[in-house]
Amino acid sequence: MRRSARILGVDIVDEAADEIAARARGTPRVANRILRRVRDVAEVRHEGAITLEIAMEALELHEVDGLGLERADRELLGAIAVKFGGGPVGLSTLAVALGEEPETIEDVYEPYLLQLGFIQRTPRGRVITDLGRDHVGSTAGDGALF
């Protein structure tokens, strides 16, 4: 993160770099994308340097939670939990419900959600796990979300 910040020409404190890195899913490409978003907030709303407070503000503004999930990730979890009663739901049905391409769901969103244990792929379709349900604030069977 510090190297990328130097390349972008922005000052960053260690705590802010650590926070951004922690929310980057362990992926440098994601870390750099988040860093650019944080830099933009720092330059537009503040003095330009990235402090921990500015990083937290930007992460909240861009809806990146503590595990690195973004709005689209939470919408996918929410769709499985609420619209489809926790699943199973087929990939194509889920894609239509979210307005995404099936390949995008499979290649972009699912790998990290599977890694976290928030969803499972079954022969009948995708299901949300208790961990995933807890993360989006839904309890089994109540239909409440967010």
Side-chain angles (χ1 to χ4, degrees), residues 70-93:
E70 298 179 13
R71 174 187 282 173
D73 301 302
R74 289 186 298 275
E75 286 176 354
L76 186 145
L77 290 171
I80 297 171
V82 176
K83 289 182 183 178
F84 302 105
V89 58
L91 178 60
S92 59
T93 303

Side-chain angles (χ1 to χ4, degrees), residues 25-138:
R25 304 176 179 216
T27 307
R29 175 181 43 83
V30 173
N32 288 329
R33 179 175 45 84
I34 292 172
L35 177 61
R36 285 191 303 275
R37 289 177 176 178
V38 172
R39 177 211 50 199
D40 293 345
V41 169
E43 288 179 354
V44 170
R45 292 186 172 192
H46 302 283
E47 306 287 317
I50 300 173
T51 64
L52 179 58
E53 294 77 23
I54 292 170
M56 297 299 285
E57 174 188 338
L59 290 164
E60 184 176 327
L61 180 68
H62 290 290
E63 301 181 50
V64 180
D65 70 19
L67 294 176
L69 298 185
E70 298 179 13
R71 174 187 282 173
D73 301 302
R74 289 186 298 275
E75 286 176 354
L76 186 145
L77 290 171
I80 297 171
V82 176
K83 289 182 183 178
F84 302 105
V89 58
L91 178 60
S92 59
T93 303
L94 188 56
V96 169
L98 295 172
E100 286 282 359
E101 293 295 321
E103 295 80 17
T104 302
I105 292 172
E106 212 167 23
D107 298 338
V108 177
Y109 303 123
E110 280 189 349
Y112 191 59
L113 295 173
L114 286 164
Q115 181 182 347
L116 291 174
F118 285 2
I119 62 171
Q120 291 179 339
R121 290 182 187 160
T122 70
R124 296 184 57 216
R126 276 72 177 154
V127 296
I128 190 168
T129 65
D130 289 340
L131 286 173
R133 201 178 289 278
D134 289 345
H135 189 74
V136 294
S138 176

